[in-house]
């Protein structure tokens, strides 16, 4: 196991290093330029995400689809991951993370558009979509579609299931977490409770997941952001210095902070971009699976709503986390910044009495919501591969592995999940590049022409054959 851990860790580090940075960031820039900077429509998109497209075809509201994708995207990586980027790449990593999120809005827009453009429906009206359908119907490659689903279904067991359950159980098992007399909650107890709660939610399919996420995502985001704002208010006197240091460190090897002065520009660039790419999942192909279920008038409307996911995840949440961490280091020079997890705990520990509670609740809700969001992605991938009847079996395994993940050490699982996530990117990026002309055409038709309220006249095709029969037998409740 030790040898396997070293090998998988090396492969994961390589894949999520410069190869993935070049592939994803290059796609972000390409789509940003070709789509004439769709980022400029972000505030219009935010307003649109809170409105319902009445009488539109779909399973859930646009906000419900966005909440599901945000639930899967906003996770422990937004907190611990950003802290790791700062500890390894220095303060400048925050700016590169932010820039990556800003550019990634264009890719998330393209993914959301293709999800609606190429979605299909069952005879019961249930919507199915995502990169697999864009690859099959748009690109004409069933092979790449199958590969994407295999990678997604397997990766979900790691990043979306076991490791999230492990993060929750490990956190709650700490002595003194909620006071000197708190001895910690046994991991087995946490595993049972989390598995039971996930089972209750996922039984109701996308409607149940979207309903819970629609409540959970705003709550957890507001709760966490409020904690960040309190810390920033406490560090107000050094906030300007923190912003200046972040900007200077991103482009100057001389700019640093204590031991962080050893972080070079290349290190800041690598760790900041890698964290931004991994955090917002733009280009990974996961979020479009949820976007395909949205009730929307045309593909561009949902594409705009989907793009706000990257904005909230990276441009807002990750940026706030970065400001909190860097300002806390400046205000408290004694803080140990070499350990990302410890750095976050010390930063939130500045809030008297409730700091650890805010951080704990945020981490637990972030991880739990990730399990819900990824369960939907995984089920849709399995359904594409083997039909709807197999989803029930997969769901049982999913719930069981939550308990397994809660009580086990999962270092190797993390590494393999990272590798499979990277493999998901490749077929999805192929669909985005090859279908970029379609994305431009639809954008011109609805956004650039000012026809955002126009309803599409394209029919959503019914799936046929075995997949249709399976969907008939076990449609969403």
């Amino acid at each position: 196991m030790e040898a396997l851990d070293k090998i998988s860790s090396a492969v994961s580090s390589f894949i999520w290093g410069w190869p993935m940075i070049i592939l994803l960031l290059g796609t972000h820039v390409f789509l940003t330029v070709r789509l004439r900077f769709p980022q400029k429509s972000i505030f219009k998109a935010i307003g649109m995400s809170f409105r319902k497209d009445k009488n539109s075809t779909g399973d859930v509201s646009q906000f419900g689809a966005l909440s599901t994708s945000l639930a899967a995207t906003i996770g422990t990586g937004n907190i611990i991951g950003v802290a790791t980027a700062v500890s390894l790449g220095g303060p400048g990593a925050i700016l590169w993370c932010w820039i990556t999120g800003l550019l990634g809005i264009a890719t998330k827009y393209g993914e959301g558009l293709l999800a609606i453009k190429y979605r299909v429906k069952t005879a019961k009206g249930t919507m199915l979509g995502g990169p697999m359908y864009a690859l099959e119907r748009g690109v004409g490659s069933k092979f790449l579609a199958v590969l994407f689903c295999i990678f997604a279904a397997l990766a979900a067991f790691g990043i979306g299931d076991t490791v999230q359950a492990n993060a929750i159980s490990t956190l709650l098992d700490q002595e003194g977490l909620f006071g000197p007399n708190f001895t910690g909650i046994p991991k087995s107890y946490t595993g049972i409770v989390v598995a039971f709660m996930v089972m209750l939610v996922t039984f109701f399919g996308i409607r149940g997941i979207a309903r819970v996420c629609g409540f959970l995502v705003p709550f957890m985001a507001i709760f966490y952001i409020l904690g960040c704002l309190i810390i920033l208010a406490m560090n107000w006197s050094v906030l300007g210095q923190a912003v200046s240091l972040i900007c200077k460190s991103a482009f100057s090897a001389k700019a640093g902070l204590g031991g962080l002065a050893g972080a070079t520009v290349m290190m800041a660039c690598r760790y900041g971009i890698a964290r931004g790419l991994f955090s917002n999942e733009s280009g990974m192909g996961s979020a479009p699976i949820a976007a395909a279920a949205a009730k929307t008038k045309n593909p561009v409307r949902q594409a705009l709503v989907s793009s706000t996911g990257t904005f909230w995840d990276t441009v807002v949440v990750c940026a706030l986390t970065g400001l909190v961490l860097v300002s806390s280091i400046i205000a408290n020079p004694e803080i140990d910044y070499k350990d990302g997890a410890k750095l976050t705990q010390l930063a939130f520990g500045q809030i008297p009495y409730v700091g650890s509670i805010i951080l704990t609740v945020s981490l637990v809700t972030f991880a739990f919501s990730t399990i819900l969001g990824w369960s939907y992605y995984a089920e849709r991938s399995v359904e594409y591969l083997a039909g709807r009847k197999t989803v029930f079996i997969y769901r049982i395994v999913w719930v069981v592995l939550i308990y397994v993940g809660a009580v086990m050490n999962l270092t190797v699982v993390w590494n393999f999940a990272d590798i499979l996530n990277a493999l998901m990117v490749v077929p999805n990026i192929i669909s985005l590049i090859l279908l970029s002309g379609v994305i431009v055409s639809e954008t011109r038709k609805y956004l650039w022409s000012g026809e955002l309220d126009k309803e599409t006249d394209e029919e959503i095709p019914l799936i046929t054959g075995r997949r249709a029969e399976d969907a008939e037998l076990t449609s969403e409740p």
Side-chain angles (χ1 to χ4, degrees), residues 11 17 20 61 75 122 127 164 184 211 217 271-272 291 295-296 336 366 391 418 431 465:
V11 174
M20 191 56 60
S61 66
T122 70
M127 295 295 163
Q164 301 300 330
R211 192 176 298 117
V217 168
Y271 288 108
K295 296 177 181 177
T296 185
D336 180 12
F366 281 12
V391 170
D418 287 350
S431 71

Side-chain angles (χ1 to χ4, degrees), residues 17-37:
W18 288 112
M20 191 56 60
I21 287 175
I22 293 171
L23 179 63
L24 280 172
L25 192 59
T27 302
H28 292 351
V29 173
F30 169 73
L31 290 176
T32 293
V33 174
R34 186 154 195 205
L35 294 172
R36 303 178 188 175
F37 296 85

Side-chain angles (χ1 to χ4, degrees), residues 78 82 86 94 224 242 246 317-327:
N78 295 79
V82 173
V86 172
I94 301 302
Y224 178 70
I246 288 172
V317 177
C318 285
L320 276 175
T321 302
L323 282 173
V324 163
L325 297 175
V326 176
S327 65

Side-chain angles (χ1 to χ4, degrees), residues 119-415:
R119 67 181 176 177
V120 298
K121 65 181 178 181
T122 70
K124 296 290 186 180
T126 302
M127 295 295 163
L128 306 174
M132 52 281 211
Y133 292 94
L135 286 163
E136 179 184 347
R137 299 186 57 226
V139 178
S141 176
K142 179 78 171 179
F143 173 73
L144 288 176
V146 169
L147 275 185
F148 172 84
C149 289
I150 291 174
F151 296 147
L154 293 176
F157 280 134
I159 189 174
D161 189 17
T162 53
V163 295
Q164 301 300 330
N166 188 264
I168 296 174
S169 66
T170 301
L171 179 67
L172 297 180
D173 194 34
Q174 295 182 63
E175 292 185 9
L177 183 63
F178 297 118
N181 297 322
F182 184 78
T183 58
I185 301 174
K187 292 183 177 182
S188 58
Y189 292 178
T190 300
I192 292 172
V193 172
V194 174
F196 180 72
M197 292 174 64
V198 170
M199 181 182 68
L200 290 180
V201 176
T202 56
F203 173 78
F204 293 98
I206 181 59
R207 293 181 179 87
I209 293 172
R211 192 176 298 117
V212 173
C213 291
F215 163 77
L216 193 61
V217 168
F219 165 76
M220 70 184 193
I222 292 172
F223 192 75
Y224 178 70
I225 290 173
L226 180 61
C228 288
L229 293 177
I230 292 174
I231 297 174
L232 292 179
M234 296 174 65
N235 297 337
W236 180 257
S237 60
V238 298
L239 193 57
Q241 186 181 346
V243 173
S244 175
L245 182 62
I246 288 172
C247 294
K248 290 179 180 178
S249 299
F251 302 101
S252 173
K254 296 180 180 180
L257 184 63
L260 291 180
T264 65
V265 175
M266 291 299 290
M267 290 171 65
C269 181
R270 175 183 173 180
Y271 288 108
I273 292 176
R275 175 43 49 199
L277 294 174
F278 192 78
S279 174
N280 60 53
E281 297 182 12
S282 293
M284 191 177 293
S286 49
I289 299 175
K295 296 177 181 177
T296 185
K297 293 179 180 178
N298 58 64
V300 170
R301 288 179 70 87
Q302 182 54 36
L304 288 169
V305 172
S306 294
S307 70
T308 65
T310 298
F311 174 81
W312 292 121
D313 176 89
T314 307
V315 179
V316 175
V317 177
C318 285
L320 276 175
T321 302
L323 282 173
V324 163
L325 297 175
V326 176
S327 65
S328 296
I329 295 173
I330 296 175
N332 306 275
E334 72 279 4
I335 282 184
D336 180 12
Y337 49 78
K338 296 179 181 178
D339 184 330
K342 189 67 174 178
L343 171 59
T344 307
Q345 291 177 354
L346 292 172
F348 275 82
Q350 296 173 95
I351 305 178
Y353 307 111
V354 297
S356 62
I357 295 177
I358 292 175
L359 179 60
T360 300
V361 172
S362 297
L363 284 170
V364 169
T365 53
F366 281 12
F368 180 74
S369 67
T370 298
I371 295 175
L372 294 181
W374 269 92
S375 70
Y376 181 70
Y377 298 160
E379 288 183 11
R380 282 295 183 250
S381 298
V382 170
E383 181 175 358
Y384 182 88
L385 291 170
R388 183 68 188 171
K389 287 184 289 187
T390 60
V391 170
F392 181 72
I393 299 173
Y394 188 90
R395 192 174 292 173
I396 293 175
V397 177
W398 182 270
V399 172
V400 171
L401 285 180
I402 290 175
Y403 176 81
V404 174
V407 299
M408 289 183 63
N409 188 323
L410 299 170
T411 305
V412 175
V413 176
W414 253 120
N415 291 332

Side-chain angles (χ1 to χ4, degrees), residues 12 57 80 109 155-156 222 349 362 392 419:
S12 176
T57 304
I80 305 301
Y109 170 91
I222 292 172
S362 297
F392 181 72
I419 293 169

